Amino acid sequence: MADAPDPRVTRSRAAVLAAARDLLREEGPAALTHQRVAARAGVGRATVYRHWPQPEQLLTDAMAGVSMPFFLDPTTPVRAWLRQQLRVLADELVLPDVLAVTTSLLHGAVWQPAITERRDRLAAAMADRLRRALASAVHSGELRPAGDLDDAAALLIGPLLYRAVLEPRRPVPDTLIARLLDQVGAWADDGTS
Amino acid sequence: MADAPDPRVTRSRAAVLAAARDLLREEGPAALTHQRVAARAGVGRATVYRHWPQPEQLLTDAMAGVSMPFFLDPTTPVRAWLRQQLRVLADELVLPDVLAVTTSLLHGAVWQPAITERRDRLAAAMADRLRRALASAVHSGELRPAGDLDDAAALLIGPLLYRAVLEPRRPVPDTLIARLLDQVGAWADDGTS
DNA sequence: CTACTTCTGAGTCAACTTGTCTCATAGGAT
DNA sequence: ATCCTATGAGACAAGTTGACTCAGAAGTAG
């Protein structure tokens, strides 16, 4: 039972992680050295080494602080839920914290196996959630799909990702989201246009 | 007139850039230190410093070696040309060299102004080329657009980018590309289905 | 072929960073 | 009040960085 967490440990970890998140957002993952994080957190350098012997773990934990709870708990009608989820995703993706974590994840995944695994889990989770939600809509008769449901993640999230990382100054209009929705298939008219 | 390029300079630059590209592909931009590049290129460390005083320039030049000549010189019918361009783009994006440059570009653009500018130029060029090609198709009556042509880049390239950086093990089937094409608008029947 | 200019690579050097270790001390449990 | 443990300060060797020097090789011009 790890039931008695020393308050000092809790405090140190929190301060370091907050500093790491700030540095990640402001200057990118390369700034997450033990020294800089320790200085920013107002903490001894040795303390950072104690809790995170390898800088990679520090980056991982800092990224984990920004979670991505998208496409969870679908509601009916699925179309309205999906529209709202895509809207939220588009808006969140351009937030500095989220963008920093996203690009660091995509970038790090190319060369660091630990991050590759994280990325794969995220991608699989998103694809799976979307597939399930859409499958339920198909089952209930709300949606007549226009193609493989396994492609839905790429089709729906892809354009939002493109805007966030390649054209960050162009916001995603609601009309674009509507277009993405229509592309998934034919939706039964539910009055929400 | 810089008409007399010293062969020694040419040779050194070529060797260093080749080494830099290899390192970028194999280990990412963080590996592009003067020391490692010099060692890999079989060149003196001072030589690398002479030509690229700042490591950032070295990264930029190494990335420039992998160009992205997509969506150039549209032909008619535009639909067939676009399908072929998307096919090539999807296939190229997963190549190690291209993927390394792409993710480094997206990642670096978040914090390094020089790379931000590169990314913006690339994004603007792709959007512009696509917009022009589609506009000509509209003008010739080949395409009846289903929405803003300025969104075409995000709609067409976004899903391919998503697959490349988030689901690199899932190839892009031709059926997905066909789906992307149909989403741009209604194409006049040209017999190529 | 000779004399010149320029680039190269090896090396030195100080400043800095990294990872490890020690130790006095303060915060927190009992 | 007493013990325990995490902390922060600092020391330390090893490695890296960026700047510099210099002899010699490569290339050019006569």
Side-chain angles (χ1 to χ4, degrees), chain A residues 7-8 11 33-35 45-46 49:
Chain A
R8 292 171 294 183
R11 212 181 311 138
T33 66
H34 285 121
Q35 186 161 242
R45 203 160 58 92
Y49 275 100

Side-chain angles (χ1 to χ4, degrees), chain B residues 6-8 11 33-35 45 49:
Chain B
D6 193 317
R8 291 170 294 182
R11 213 182 310 137
T33 66
H34 284 123
Q35 187 160 244
R45 202 159 59 92
Y49 275 101

Side-chain angles (χ1 to χ4, degrees), chain A residues 100-124:
Chain A
V101 171
T102 304
T103 56
S104 298
L105 186 70
L106 301 183
H107 185 253
V110 180
W111 299 282
Q112 298 173 285
I115 300 187
T116 307
E117 197 201 344
R118 273 186 94 76
R119 178 203 61 188
D120 289 345
R121 266 191 284 118
L122 176 67

Side-chain angles (χ1 to χ4, degrees), chain B residues 41-127:
Chain B
V43 144
R45 202 159 59 92
T47 302
V48 185
Y49 275 101
R50 261 190 288 272
H51 292 295
W52 295 273
Q54 288 134 1
E56 188 192 2
Q57 300 169 358
L58 187 53
L59 172 60
T60 304
D61 285 0
M63 291 200 305
V66 180
S67 64
M68 306 208 174
F70 299 115
F71 305 115
L72 283 174
D73 305 319
T75 59
T76 52
V78 173
R79 186 190 198 179
W81 167 81
L82 191 51
R83 188 196 343 257
Q84 184 260 345
Q85 290 288 304
L86 290 174
R87 179 74 260 163
V88 171
L89 178 57
D91 293 337
E92 295 250 339
L93 272 182
V94 297
L95 297 180
D97 292 59
V98 180
L99 190 58
V101 170
T102 303
T103 57
S104 297
L105 186 70
L106 301 182
H107 184 253
V110 180
W111 300 282
Q112 297 174 283
I115 300 187
T116 307
E117 198 201 343
R118 272 185 95 75
R119 177 203 61 188
D120 289 345
R121 268 191 283 118
L122 176 66
M126 303 256 267

